[in-house]
Amino acid sequence: MSRFFATGSDSESEESSSADEITPKAPGTTFKQSLLLSDDEEDTKRVVRSAKDKRFEELTNLIKTIRNAMKIRDMSKCLEEFEQLCRAFLKSKNIVDKEGVPSFYIRLLADLEDYLNQLWEDKEGKKKMNKNNAKALSTLRQKIRKYNRDYETEIAAYKENPQESADEEEEKEPEDSGSSSDSDGEAGDGVSAKAFLKKKPDAAPEASKFLKSAKGSEDESSSSDEDEDDDDDEDWGSDTVESGSESSDDGEGRSASLAVVFLKKAQETEKSGTKRSGKKKKLKKERLEEEAEEEGGEEAEGAWEKVKGGAPLVKEKPKMFAKGTEINIPVVVKKLNEILQARGKKGTDRAAQIELLHALAGIANENNLGQGISVKIKFNIIASLYDYNPNLAAFMKADMWKKCLDCIDELLDILFDDNNHIFIGENIAEDSENLAVSEQPFRVRGCILTLVERMDEEFTKIMQNTDPHSQEYVDNLKDEGRVCGIIDRLLGYLENKGSTEEICRVYLRRIMHTYYKFDYKAHRRSLGLQGESKSEQDQEESEGEDSAVIMDRLCKFIYAKDRTDRIRTCAILCHIYHHALHSRWYQARDLMLMSHLQDNIQHADPPVQILYNRTMVQLGICAFRQGMIKDAHNALLDIQSSGRAKELLGQGLLMRNMQERNAEQEKIEKRRQVPFHMHINLELLECVYLVSAMLLEIPYMAAHEFDARRRMISKQFHHQLRVGERQPLLGPPESMREHVVAASKAMKMGDWRTCHSFIINEKMNSKVWDLFPETQRVREMLVRKIQEESLRTYLFTYSSVYDSISMETLSEMFQLEIPTVHSIISKMIINEELMASLDQPTQTVVMHRTEPTSLQNMALQLAEKLGSLVENNERVFDLKQGVYGGYFNRDQKGGYQQKQSYQRDQKGGYQQKQSGYQRGGYRNQNQSNY
């Protein structure tokens, strides 16, 4: 029996479900049920769709989910939904075989493959992915490549003209639903949708009980009649499939008689055709709008939402408390704990959590619940701001950083306002907290020092991750004044309320922001200079104590009170660095020697080792400025000889193989890097080292020219000399190294003027010497050292040529005072570097000619080399004699030994255990061995 007879009314027939969902019922029950239907149920319409529409809708829903997952880079979700899509497509195989593969499906496959390839090539993005997403990416990429092989032609056609294929898809979608239902209706019943006309009043008597009469419809207004017809037009197209199939079951005769009840007017079918074409255009327009929204820019945070056109919807903030709730401290604490329980859980919106905490703080202030609860909420707000980036390597965004500084300032304001009434500490249990307003002081669990230390670390991370050559770096660096201000305020608070350990920790934070800064105002005062304008002079007077006084006070407190070696070690190193930076060489040197840090620094953690390296480098540069060339060379030797100065000073990473350092170690080392504004100029450092090596090495090379056992003072300096000698074409020097090599060659010849012109010129001034605070004094010191060392080199090189030489002549040649020349020559004679004597009345140097000539030096070298050759020859001969006749018998360890082994005696000879050979005679004592 057809469902049109079972339901009994026109409106109810529109509510009926598809044919496969109908179950046979007794005729009596349907009559009773139809009487029980309410007016609301009669008005609502249920759309009956074909199997194709259902399957395609399922596919499109899965595709939308995949596209949303692509936008937020959720590879795990993409993989899961893609597998579901493949299963759903397999279920739709019968429909796909008839209709062909839908365009939207091909479009997704092509887009997904391109998207995955793009992600795969993005190495930096892959590193940032979590483990699950990275694994899902590789799995999905393999699956999609394998799956797309079956649709290569369709994907290629789509990629050639993606716009056309998208338009075709939009046009087909509305048409297919109507055409498929029409064709199915014709197959089932032989009557098309256009053949149905509106029912007439003389319908069958059985149906007339439940159908709307013609009179009733005529009595209604024409406008409502037209609306009803429009709704019928939209739903009847797809209903014909089921109606046709069911009516065929009841027999041809009965269907023909009752079809009249549901026939529609022929004139209205024409209207439906025109409305359907208008509907197509409307659908197409909506589809384009949806795509534009989908392809729009990705939002930084939050869930994906579809926003309808028109005025933007304002989201209502979640209500903190129910209406009429009495807001008191227990209620607020309970709400605070509820918010904090979501902290750290997967899927928690951290930004929303921070907003909730701010709202809770506002409610607490509005209801005057006291400063105790405000402090507790502030602690949790700051902790939530730190937790906003769960990744350790990630740094805080600018807006979060500003919020963090503001919250800490507000917290310190509360603590200073009620300094005597609020007691905070880590060791206060939550049960023993006192948040209520009473005569007792507030007791709040928390540690302000830990928050400030974390803030300082976040500031360092921000500076590490900002491009040092951009304006953004300068803007971020301006926040250091605010960070130091917060540390100073905390320092004042803890000096009154904190323990000794906490004071030492906050003192170290203040020291770390001071030790590397050169105090120009203190330097000007030490030189006796005053500000140019009166305002500058007033500013200098109003300013507090010098950085040297501050460092001295803070460090001495740590030396006396600290119980942990690490804080004391860091304080000593910072103090030495600050002394060296301000040219207080003797204080810095004495503090370094007294601390004995060089003995056990290898056991310290890497950040302390980096600080030690920076301190040693600064100490070496300070010694150079003071003219202590040997001390400067010794201090810089370890750092420069390694060839890894950049890495040892924490100023960058050198390229290495993955075997030496994996990705995780690289991340850890990047976190240890020193921010750019604290860097030491590596070119200046290398120049100071090479010039120091030149001033030591060139006179030494001249004194030991023919000494075969001459040692090298600086390997790096010799390497630069060899590189310079290998140059096929010698042009004017360009780089700093080439200038030093050219100066060294001039100094070898005793030509101090050429040496001076290579070391001190405009190019070298701009690169190196102008970077020192006392530029002119350093240049004068350098000229003096070049003159003195050139004089020594000249005397070593040409002493064999002279019988005697006047000190006045030497003084004129090297533009040195006669007492200075006398002093240098006297030292050389005392140290037995120069075989000569001074004739005081005539002011001359008389050479004693005890040095061998160049020919004698060469003969001595030849004799020494021949001696070593004879010794080696004898050893080889010993080995041959020992294994005569039997050659080698290989032992188990892979070596070659004679059965009767040889042992080396204490004097260096070789003896056999039983009848061995003794060095010097080579005599066979036991004839039976041969």
Side-chain angles (χ1 to χ4, degrees):
M1 184 177 178
S2 174
R3 65 177 175 154
F4 298 116
F5 304 112
T7 53
S9 101
D10 184 24
S11 61
E12 287 163 2
S13 68
E14 289 163 2
E15 294 169 6
S16 61
S17 60
S18 59
D20 56 348
E21 294 172 349
I22 295 172
T23 54
K25 297 177 184 177
T29 57
T30 53
F31 175 73
K32 288 174 186 175
Q33 284 174 356
S34 60
L35 289 174
L36 295 171
L37 291 172
S38 65
D39 294 338
D40 294 339
E41 286 173 332
E42 284 182 13
D43 293 340
T44 56
K45 297 178 178 61
R46 294 181 65 181
V47 179
V48 180
R49 294 166 302 154
S50 64
K52 175 190 167 184
D53 291 342
K54 284 183 187 175
R55 294 295 181 199
F56 279 16
E57 186 181 358
E58 185 183 359
L59 294 176
T60 49
N61 287 338
L62 287 167
I63 286 168
K64 280 182 184 176
T65 313
I66 290 171
R67 287 195 182 277
N68 281 343
M70 284 162 64
K71 286 174 184 174
I72 59 173
R73 293 196 173 195
D74 189 350
M75 291 296 104
S76 304
K77 185 73 173 171
C78 270
L79 178 60
E80 184 186 335
E81 295 297 325
F82 180 71
E83 287 170 351
Q84 285 187 20
L85 182 68
C86 291
R87 287 194 289 272
F89 189 74
L90 200 62
K91 288 178 187 175
S92 313
K93 193 173 184 303
N94 295 333
I95 294 165
V96 170
D97 290 342
K98 285 182 187 176
E99 304 290 334
V101 183
S103 307
F104 60 82
Y105 191 71
I106 295 297
R107 183 179 174 200
L108 174 85
L109 294 179
D111 291 352
L112 185 58
E113 187 175 15
D114 292 343
Y115 174 76
L116 292 174
N117 290 335
Q118 186 183 351
L119 276 187
W120 190 260
E121 288 167 7
D122 183 10
K123 303 293 182 190
E124 290 297 322
K126 271 180 18 181
K127 284 182 185 175
K128 291 176 185 174
M129 278 187 183
N130 61 32
K131 191 177 178 183
N132 292 336
N133 270 355
K135 191 176 178 182
L137 174 62
S138 60
T139 309
L140 183 55
R141 185 167 171 267
Q142 288 174 356
K143 283 194 174 186
I144 194 78
R145 287 171 71 183
K146 189 175 178 183
Y147 191 79
N148 282 7
R149 285 175 198 159
D150 299 332
Y151 305 101
E152 283 179 353
T153 53
E154 290 91 341
I155 290 170
Y158 165 73
K159 285 185 177 176
E160 282 173 13
N161 201 344
Q163 190 60 41
E164 274 188 20
S165 57
D167 293 343
E168 283 171 15
E169 178 195 332
E170 288 157 7
E171 288 171 6
K172 276 182 185 177
E173 277 184 359
E175 284 175 5
D176 286 349
S177 60
S179 62
S180 61
S181 59
D182 289 347
S183 60
D184 291 346
E186 286 168 14
D189 201 13
V191 183
S192 67
K194 290 180 182 177
F196 283 109
L197 297 172
K198 195 153 189 178
K199 62 185 173 107
K200 294 187 176 148
D202 54 343
E206 304 128 342
S208 63
K209 294 177 186 177
F210 309 108
L211 296 176
K212 289 183 182 178
S213 62
K215 286 180 183 178
S217 62
E218 284 169 10
D219 292 338
E220 287 175 359
S221 66
S222 61
S223 62
S224 64
D225 195 10
E226 283 173 10
D227 291 343
E228 201 176 304
D229 291 343
D230 291 345
D231 295 338
D232 292 344
D233 289 342
E234 289 173 13
D235 299 334
W236 269 79
S238 58
D239 274 1
T240 52
V241 183
E242 289 84 358
S243 65
S245 59
E246 286 174 344
S247 59
S248 62
D249 297 338
D250 294 334
E252 291 179 5
R254 191 163 187 179
S255 64
S257 62
L258 289 173
V260 183
V261 180
F262 304 104
L263 292 179
K264 297 195 174 191
K265 292 178 183 177
Q267 296 90 352
E268 291 182 7
T269 56
E270 292 173 8
K271 287 183 185 178
S272 68
T274 55
K275 284 177 183 177
R276 196 174 279 168
S277 63
K279 190 181 173 187
K280 277 185 200 175
K281 290 178 184 175
K282 192 177 178 184
L283 280 170
K284 187 173 178 181
K285 190 177 178 184
E286 285 176 4
R287 176 63 185 265
L288 288 170
E289 284 175 3
E290 283 177 13
E291 282 182 4
E293 285 173 8
E294 283 176 6
E295 290 169 5
E298 207 175 315
E299 288 183 6
E301 295 159 356
W304 286 91
E305 295 178 2
K306 281 196 176 182
V307 182
K308 293 181 181 177
L313 297 171
V314 180
K315 268 193 175 180
E316 290 185 9
K317 290 185 179 177
K319 293 179 180 178
M320 299 293 288
F321 302 104
K323 195 173 181 181
T325 306
E326 184 187 352
I327 295 171
N328 51 30
I329 288 172
V331 171
V332 173
V333 170
K334 186 182 176 184
K335 191 68 182 176
L336 177 64
N337 290 332
E338 281 178 21
I339 296 168
L340 294 179
Q341 277 172 4
R343 181 179 168 189
K345 288 185 180 177
K346 193 176 179 182
T348 304
D349 186 357
R350 298 183 187 89
Q353 204 175 26
I354 293 165
E355 290 299 322
L356 286 172
L357 288 169
H358 276 293
L360 192 63
I363 290 167
N365 289 334
E366 284 172 15
N367 291 275
N368 298 322
L369 297 180
Q371 298 290 9
I373 192 71
S374 296
V375 169
K376 187 173 178 64
I377 295 171
K378 289 285 180 196
F379 270 120
N380 287 298
I381 289 172
I382 297 165
S384 298
L385 287 167
Y386 291 146
D387 287 349
Y388 189 75
N389 288 324
N391 188 0
L392 275 174
F395 61 100
M396 290 178 85
K397 298 291 182 285
D399 54 340
M400 290 295 169
W401 171 244
K402 299 292 181 196
K403 280 182 187 177
C404 180
L405 291 178
D406 292 340
C407 283
I408 292 173
D409 268 329
E410 288 168 14
L411 184 57
L412 286 169
D413 288 338
I414 295 169
L415 293 176
F416 274 108
D417 288 345
D418 297 323
N419 198 9
N420 300 320
H421 304 293
I422 298 179
F423 180 71
I424 58 172
E426 283 180 307
N427 48 7
I428 297 173
E430 288 192 6
D431 301 337
S432 62
E433 283 183 325
N434 180 27
L435 304 174
V437 179
S438 63
E439 293 180 0
Q440 296 292 326
F442 293 111
R443 288 170 60 83
V444 183
R445 178 181 172 79
C447 181
I448 182 68
L449 176 57
T450 308
L451 295 180
V452 172
E453 284 179 333
R454 179 70 190 272
M455 174 206 69
D456 196 23
E457 289 165 12
E458 288 293 339
F459 176 71
T460 305
K461 276 201 281 187
I462 289 169
M463 301 312 296
Q464 285 171 344
N465 289 280
T466 310
D467 178 16
H469 305 293
S470 65
Q471 182 61 33
E472 186 187 359
Y473 191 91
V474 178
D475 295 338
N476 289 339
L477 191 56
K478 289 175 184 174
D479 288 335
E480 192 183 16
R482 197 169 171 191
V483 171
C484 291
I486 288 171
I487 292 171
D488 283 335
R489 291 183 71 191
L490 179 64
L491 190 145
Y493 174 77
L494 291 177
E495 280 175 348
N496 296 325
K497 305 284 285 184
S499 63
T500 308
E501 185 188 350
E502 288 177 331
I503 294 171
C504 287
R505 280 164 63 190
V506 75
Y507 275 8
L508 182 63
R509 288 285 162 185
R510 188 69 186 86
I511 287 166
M512 295 299 279
H513 280 279
T514 309
Y515 81 97
Y516 62 89
K517 295 173 183 170
F518 188 81
D519 193 346
Y520 283 96
K521 285 168 183 164
H523 178 64
R524 286 169 65 83
R525 282 198 288 272
S526 67
L527 296 174
L529 301 173
Q530 290 185 344
E532 294 176 3
S533 64
K534 193 173 180 183
S535 60
E536 286 181 8
Q537 291 177 14
D538 294 341
Q539 187 182 353
E540 285 178 9
E541 286 173 11
S542 63
E543 279 182 357
E545 53 195 354
D546 293 345
S547 61
V549 179
I550 295 170
M551 287 289 292
D552 199 52
R553 177 171 59 83
L554 300 180
C555 290
K556 282 181 178 175
F557 181 87
I558 291 174
Y559 300 157
K561 305 286 185 182
D562 179 57
R563 295 176 187 174
T564 64
D565 285 338
R566 191 181 186 280
I567 292 178
R568 187 168 60 253
T569 302
C570 289
I572 290 170
L573 290 171
C574 291
H575 205 181
I576 295 166
Y577 190 105
H578 195 262
H579 279 316
L581 190 64
H582 292 82
S583 300
R584 294 189 287 271
W585 157 250
Y586 291 104
Q587 291 97 312
R589 185 198 63 182
D590 294 346
L591 192 54
M592 175 60 83
L593 293 174
M594 284 190 297
S595 66
H596 295 285
L597 288 174
Q598 59 273 25
D599 299 336
N600 53 13
I601 194 64
Q602 67 272 17
H603 303 302
D605 55 329
V608 177
Q609 289 185 15
I610 288 171
L611 181 58
Y612 174 80
N613 292 339
R614 285 166 54 78
T615 304
M616 286 304 296
V617 162
Q618 199 59 247
L619 202 58
I621 294 171
C622 174
F624 181 81
R625 288 200 302 266
Q626 300 302 311
M628 314 282 183
I629 301 299
K630 198 166 185 179
D631 291 318
H633 182 269
N634 291 340
L636 301 176
L637 180 62
D638 288 339
I639 301 293
Q640 284 299 120
S641 60
S642 66
R644 298 188 300 130
K646 187 178 183 181
E647 197 168 344
L648 293 173
L649 295 174
Q651 296 182 187
L653 299 178
L654 300 175
M655 294 297 290
R656 287 197 194 173
N657 297 329
M658 289 299 288
Q659 296 170 353
E660 294 182 34
R661 178 175 61 210
N662 57 31
E664 194 60 37
Q665 287 173 333
E666 192 168 335
K667 282 180 187 174
I668 292 167
E669 287 189 22
K670 278 183 179 175
R671 289 203 290 273
R672 292 180 189 142
Q673 299 304 298
V674 177
F676 183 76
H677 64 280
M678 296 168 67
H679 282 193
I680 295 168
N681 190 319
L682 293 175
E683 192 173 21
L684 179 142
L685 173 61
E686 188 178 9
C687 181
V688 165
Y689 174 74
L690 290 176
V691 169
S692 302
M694 178 190 78
L695 294 172
L696 294 174
E697 192 80 64
I698 297 299
Y700 180 79
M701 286 167 67
H704 302 84
E705 189 175 359
F706 302 106
D707 189 355
R709 295 182 181 178
R710 182 182 68 202
R711 63 180 180 84
M712 284 189 289
I713 296 174
S714 169
K715 285 184 180 179
Q716 193 182 3
F717 177 71
H718 275 274
H719 172 69
Q720 295 300 331
L721 286 180
R722 283 195 296 273
V723 169
E725 286 169 4
R726 284 201 297 267
Q727 293 291 334
L729 181 65
L730 283 176
E734 292 182 4
S735 68
M736 176 272 298
R737 292 172 182 174
E738 289 175 1
H739 276 88
V740 175
V741 169
S744 303
K745 288 178 181 176
M747 186 183 275
K748 262 186 187 178
M749 308 302 293
D751 186 357
W752 77 271
R753 287 184 177 84
T754 309
C755 178
H756 168 244
S757 67
F758 280 130
I759 293 293
I760 299 172
N761 52 53
E762 286 184 13
K763 192 178 282 188
M764 290 290 283
N765 285 345
S766 62
K767 280 185 177 181
V768 180
W769 309 124
D770 286 344
L771 303 177
F772 286 118
E774 298 174 350
T775 307
Q776 193 56 38
R777 197 166 69 82
V778 171
R779 289 200 197 100
E780 288 170 3
M781 178 275 298
L782 264 176
V783 173
R784 184 84 174 177
K785 288 291 176 185
I786 288 169
Q787 289 170 335
E788 291 175 2
E789 297 304 325
S790 297
L791 170 60
R792 294 181 72 236
T793 307
Y794 185 82
L795 289 172
F796 283 134
T797 308
Y798 300 110
S799 61
S800 58
V801 178
Y802 288 99
D803 286 327
S804 62
I805 185 168
S806 168
M807 280 195 284
E808 191 177 346
T809 307
L810 292 173
S811 173
E812 287 173 4
M813 281 176 67
F814 294 97
Q815 292 188 0
L816 290 168
E817 300 84 3
I818 290 177
T820 308
V821 174
H822 184 275
S823 169
I824 291 167
I825 293 171
S826 300
K827 282 178 186 174
M828 291 172 72
I829 292 170
I830 291 165
N831 295 331
E832 297 183 356
E833 293 173 337
L834 185 67
M835 296 303 165
S837 59
L838 285 171
D839 186 19
Q840 200 67 33
T842 57
Q843 292 287 309
T844 57
V845 183
V846 181
M847 305 299 174
H848 290 173
R849 291 205 171 277
T850 55
E851 298 92 353
T853 62
S854 58
L855 182 62
Q856 289 170 334
N857 273 318
M858 289 173 71
L860 287 170
Q861 286 180 34
L862 179 62
E864 193 169 341
K865 286 181 179 178
L866 283 171
S868 62
L869 182 64
V870 167
E871 193 175 339
N872 290 335
N873 193 36
E874 286 178 354
R875 287 179 184 175
V876 172
F877 190 71
D878 279 345
L879 289 172
K880 276 197 172 185
Q881 290 292 324
V883 297
Y884 178 76
Y887 238 69
F888 291 125
N889 292 317
R890 188 165 187 175
D891 65 351
Q892 293 176 350
K893 295 179 183 176
Y896 291 93
Q897 293 180 339
Q898 194 186 14
K899 286 181 182 177
Q900 294 175 333
S901 61
Y902 292 90
Q903 289 183 338
R904 188 167 183 174
D905 62 8
Q906 292 178 349
K907 296 178 182 177
Y910 294 87
Q911 292 183 337
Q912 192 181 16
K913 281 185 179 177
Q914 294 177 2
S915 56
Y917 301 97
Q918 293 180 345
R919 188 171 180 182
Y922 299 109
R923 188 163 51 85
N924 186 4
Q925 293 178 350
N926 191 354
Q927 297 293 328
S928 62
N929 286 341
Y930 279 85

